[in-house]
Amino acid sequence: MKITYGELLRKVCQFANVLRNHGVKKGDRISIYLPMILELVIAMLACARIGAIHSVVFAGFSADSLCERILDCGCSLLITADAFYRGDKLVNLKQIADEALQKSKDKGFPLKKCIVVKHLGREEVAADGACSQSPPLKRLCQDVQEKKTESSQRLHPKIPWDPRMDVWWQDLMSGASTECEPEWCDSEDELFILYTSGSTGKPKGVLHTVGGYMLYAATSFKYVFDYQPEDVYWCTADIGWITGHSYITYGPLANGATSVLFEGIPTYPDAGRMWSIIDKYKVTKFYTAPTAIRLLMKCGEEPVKKHSRKSLKVLGTVGEPINPEAWLWYYRVVGEERCPIVDTFWQTETGGHMLTPLPAATPMKPGSATFPFFGVVPAIMNESGEELEGEAEGYLVFKQPWPGIMRTLYGNHQQFETTYFKKFPGYYVTGDGCRRDKDGYYWITGRIDDMLNVSGHLLSTAEVESALLGHGAVSEAAVVSHPHPLKGECLYCFVTLKDGHDFTKNLADELKKQVREKIGPIATPDYIQYAPSLPKTRSGKITRRILRKIAQNDRDLGDISTLVNPGIINQLFNDRCDTKL
Ligand code: WTA
């Protein structure tokens, strides 16, 4: 399926009119809960056209997470879809959305409208490969989820429907005009809110504005991928995360790029899917995440080599530190030692790339995000707030603002100041550790706050702990990050139980389910260990530093003299989960 820029404009105008007809005005918030389909891009741009603020919620999030985000931004309507396939798994999105709307109603915030894209129920459209025709038209190609061949194998879910509230996207669009006068906005007007995990456990609504964000997304896209008019660009991220906002929707479209939008997953129907799409659309610039690279690396070279990657010119990665082994595989096997790799370090909060090589211009070192992008001034600080010079390791901070920096946390400017600017006054604090080598290259060493990075997605340990505590059997919970060969990090949970409960495999499964339901499948714990009690300091703080060591079976514990109950440590070591539950 393909769409030209002209068609996209008309659809955006139509949907902008639909929103206006529903009374949406400049500054109103709109929640969007959609899979990777064209309507997601159309909905975002329609909001931007009329000055409404979009809040895209990743379609892998649970009803609770969606409800929390709806309440936090106080949106006036929700846009979702009937259902979709993730690989061969059916996700009944409307049902999850309905649960979220019910929860939000129960909490005193009833929404009046829910616009539903008929996606699974629409006439099936085949991916037509048209994007490989020449001369290339400027367009966005959507590679639709491969459909199972036998229609009898496909489930057709019953879509829950409330006619007072629900309305089909397609019905609204068919009557809407294709012309829509844009709302004039100031460069500092709000463009969108995107929630990211916060160390308090409550997601933070990162707010980006019209001028600075778009300028930064567009400029960094152009230079970091060395985008040229004949390029075909593909970013595999989900638009529910910042990478999709900046490098699927805003950056490429602002540059008039030809780009691929992919609804599927890398391993379905087989591990060659990415490479077959690269060949099919003759992709030249390809942007993915270390977790996907590690997953595909495990499947060996054969699925890669089966497909031509001759079109490729630049490879990118984002989301977490890439281990040199995965970097080298990406470089040698995927890029045939021909394509520079841009390892781009940045955050939801930064709007766009902060540390990154420029392809073919920056000599690369596998695993290093190399140097700052134009206008970015990094520094490394020690605990007492001194800037370190030369070879050094410490906190990564930025010394001056850049156009794409977030402007606030929605509804909580004070938390914005405390989280990012309080630790080292005058500096923006990333929350990441970093090392600078003797040649001045920057190497991200990972998060140094209570956050962990699972498959490139940030989660807060507090958020998972509060989900575990929501289970009636749990009295205390402590969650730490644990290395994982594919996901980078995974969750290792320690739980203390209330009297009268026994720790069984059943209970562990229930707890995992609880976390999935509260947060979403990405937060599913890999390990749950029973702890008769948790190591604590005299002031009652759980020492997660020690629990991390126990999870990793590392007996080099350092100073444990501040603990009130050092006796528990041995027992926790003996009861470690060595195998997955
Ligand atoms: C991590 C994703 C090392 C880092 C764009 C950061 C990285 C967090 C890299 C932000 C990279 C992202 N090398 N670490 N190239 N890119 N990170 O907000 O810990 O989802 O703080 O934004 O991901 O994650 P977020």
Side-chain angles (χ1 to χ4, degrees):
M1 176 151 116
K2 67 166 200 296
I3 183 167
T4 66
Y5 274 77
E7 287 159 358
L8 181 62
L9 172 64
R10 288 188 286 280
K11 286 191 191 294
V12 168
C13 285
Q14 277 185 302
F15 195 64
N17 284 323
V18 166
L19 291 176
R20 276 197 176 143
N21 293 342
H22 279 83
V24 177
K25 300 177 307 301
K26 182 173 172 184
D28 288 352
R29 278 80 53 215
I30 303 294
S31 293
I32 307 179
Y33 186 55
L34 285 174
M36 288 286 286
I37 56 178
L38 285 171
E39 285 81 358
L40 172 50
V41 178
I42 294 166
M44 293 164 85
L45 296 180
C47 289
R49 192 163 186 90
I50 62 168
I53 305 169
H54 59 71
S55 161
V56 177
V57 179
F58 172 53
F61 273 135
S62 66
D64 279 299
S65 299
L66 174 60
C67 168
E68 194 173 13
R69 286 156 178 77
I70 286 174
L71 294 175
D72 189 82
C73 75
C75 65
S76 48
L77 60 81
L78 174 70
I79 304 166
T80 188
D82 49 0
F84 69 100
Y85 270 94
R86 207 181 138 68
D88 56 3
K89 190 172 157 272
L90 177 72
V91 181
N92 192 341
L93 202 64
K94 175 65 165 54
Q95 194 179 324
I96 306 171
D98 278 1
E99 270 172 51
L101 292 177
Q102 185 58 47
K103 284 174 198 273
S104 123
K105 191 171 168 193
D106 295 346
K107 293 191 173 158
F109 190 76
L111 286 198
K112 291 202 185 66
K113 270 288 161 246
C114 178
I115 300 181
V116 188
V117 177
K118 192 179 278 184
H119 175 52
L120 206 67
R122 75 173 113 206
E123 297 233 310
E124 302 207 349
V125 262
D128 64 3
C131 291
S132 52
Q133 286 171 2
S134 61
L137 275 175
K138 294 285 175 199
R139 62 199 154 195
L140 190 69
C141 308
Q142 186 195 351
D143 206 274
V144 294
Q145 172 67 49
E146 193 102 324
K147 300 287 193 295
K148 285 206 164 176
T149 39
E150 293 214 17
S151 61
S152 61
Q153 279 182 287
R154 310 198 67 213
L155 297 166
H156 285 281
K158 194 161 162 24
I159 306 302
W161 201 259
D162 175 353
R164 288 162 304 175
M165 165 110 174
D166 300 328
V167 49
W168 288 114
W169 166 290
Q170 281 87 344
D171 290 348
L172 295 169
M173 288 288 272
S174 64
S177 158
T178 53
E179 276 172 37
C180 176
E181 184 65 22
E183 185 76 36
W184 289 98
C185 290
D186 187 84
S187 59
E188 287 301 300
D189 281 343
E190 297 95 337
L191 177 63
F192 68 82
I193 301 167
L194 182 60
Y195 288 88
T196 183
S197 295
S199 53
T200 56
K202 192 175 163 317
K204 302 175 294 194
V206 170
L207 187 123
H208 282 290
T209 49
V210 171
Y213 169 81
M214 284 205 210
L215 171 79
Y216 201 68
T219 313
S220 51
F221 171 77
K222 182 171 158 140
Y223 289 102
V224 171
F225 296 106
D226 183 28
Y227 183 76
Q228 302 294 330
E230 63 280 7
D231 276 330
V232 176
Y233 165 84
W234 179 24
C235 166
T236 67
D238 193 288
I239 294 179
W241 310 107
I242 190 69
T243 305
H245 278 59
S246 301
Y247 299 111
I248 296 181
T249 302
Y250 288 104
L253 296 185
N255 280 278
T258 298
S259 109
V260 177
L261 182 68
F262 176 55
E263 193 198 335
I265 57 168
T267 48
Y268 185 83
D270 59 53
R273 189 77 204 271
M274 301 254 223
W275 326 118
S276 87
I277 289 176
I278 287 174
D279 191 20
K280 177 173 172 186
Y281 296 111
K282 305 291 176 257
V283 171
T284 56
K285 311 281 161 84
F286 178 62
Y287 195 26
T288 194
T291 181
I293 299 169
R294 287 192 299 263
L295 175 71
L296 295 170
M297 188 167 111
K298 213 180 71 160
C299 304
E301 298 184 8
E302 198 254 312
V304 190
K305 295 202 161 149
K306 234 169 69 189
H307 303 277
S308 166
R309 278 111 43 248
K310 266 219 281 303
S311 56
L312 286 175
K313 289 185 179 150
V314 175
L315 300 173
T317 112
V318 58
E320 57 185 308
I322 179 162
N323 47 313
E325 193 195 353
W327 192 102
L328 288 167
W329 186 83
Y330 198 28
Y331 183 70
R332 290 199 185 123
V333 182
V334 178
E336 297 169 319
E337 301 189 22
R338 182 166 43 73
C339 309
I341 293 185
V342 288
D343 175 356
T344 60
F345 166 84
W346 59 294
Q347 307 177 299
T348 305
E349 294 88 336
T350 69
H353 303 143
M354 296 301 280
L355 302 177
T356 176
L358 294 177
T362 311
M364 302 176 290
K365 292 194 186 189
S368 166
T370 73
F371 301 112
F373 185 64
F374 308 142
V376 172
V377 186
I380 295 182
M381 311 283 271
N382 66 14
E383 189 60 46
S384 24
E386 290 149 354
E387 269 189 47
L388 304 174
E389 302 293 333
E391 266 184 85
E393 185 162 347
Y395 293 88
L396 176 67
V397 298
F398 295 110
K399 289 172 70 165
Q400 65 180 38
W402 58 99
I405 188 175
M406 67 187 290
R407 297 301 196 267
T408 190
L409 285 173
Y410 188 75
N412 201 343
H413 196 70
Q414 199 182 344
Q415 192 194 358
F416 168 64
E417 290 186 352
T418 324
T419 311
Y420 303 100
F421 302 100
K422 189 160 166 230
K423 188 169 175 73
F424 303 123
Y427 298 85
Y428 167 88
V429 179
T430 60
D432 283 293
C434 186
R435 182 168 67 79
R436 189 169 43 221
D437 71 13
K438 63 179 187 336
D439 303 319
Y441 281 67
Y442 289 88
W443 301 74
I444 303 295
T445 53
R447 302 291 308 182
I448 34 187
D449 46 19
D450 286 335
M451 308 282 259
L452 70 166
N453 192 323
V454 178
S455 301
H457 303 311
L458 280 194
L459 289 171
S460 86
T461 53
E463 201 177 354
V464 180
E465 284 164 9
S466 102
L468 289 168
L469 289 168
H471 189 284
V474 177
S475 63
E476 270 197 304
V479 174
V480 296
S481 79
H482 189 61
H484 186 282
L486 296 179
K487 303 184 204 175
E489 291 179 43
C490 67
L491 293 154
Y492 194 116
C493 312
F494 294 87
V495 292
T496 306
L497 300 182
K498 292 182 184 156
D499 283 348
H501 292 274
D502 287 329
F503 189 77
T504 57
K505 161 110 177 46
N506 245 352
L507 178 63
D509 288 344
E510 267 178 43
L511 292 175
K512 285 186 183 180
K513 192 162 154 259
Q514 168 93 4
V515 178
R516 277 175 81 94
E517 278 170 10
K518 287 271 166 212
I519 306 174
I522 42 166
T524 311
D526 279 47
Y527 304 96
I528 296 189
Q529 176 175 345
Y530 168 65
S533 69
L534 294 167
K536 286 188 188 167
T537 63
R538 270 158 233 286
S539 61
K541 269 199 159 96
I542 299 172
T543 45
R544 291 181 179 73
R545 173 181 72 80
I546 289 174
L547 292 173
R548 208 170 294 130
K549 299 241 174 185
I550 293 172
Q552 294 181 28
N553 207 11
D554 174 359
R555 290 195 183 246
D556 181 14
L557 295 179
D559 181 18
I560 55 165
S561 61
T562 57
L563 296 184
V564 265
N565 53 346
I568 190 64
I569 290 178
N570 247 340
Q571 180 163 0
L572 292 178
F573 267 112
N574 292 339
D575 297 347
R576 284 181 63 256
C577 314
D578 278 318
T579 49
K580 268 195 184 185
L581 282 164

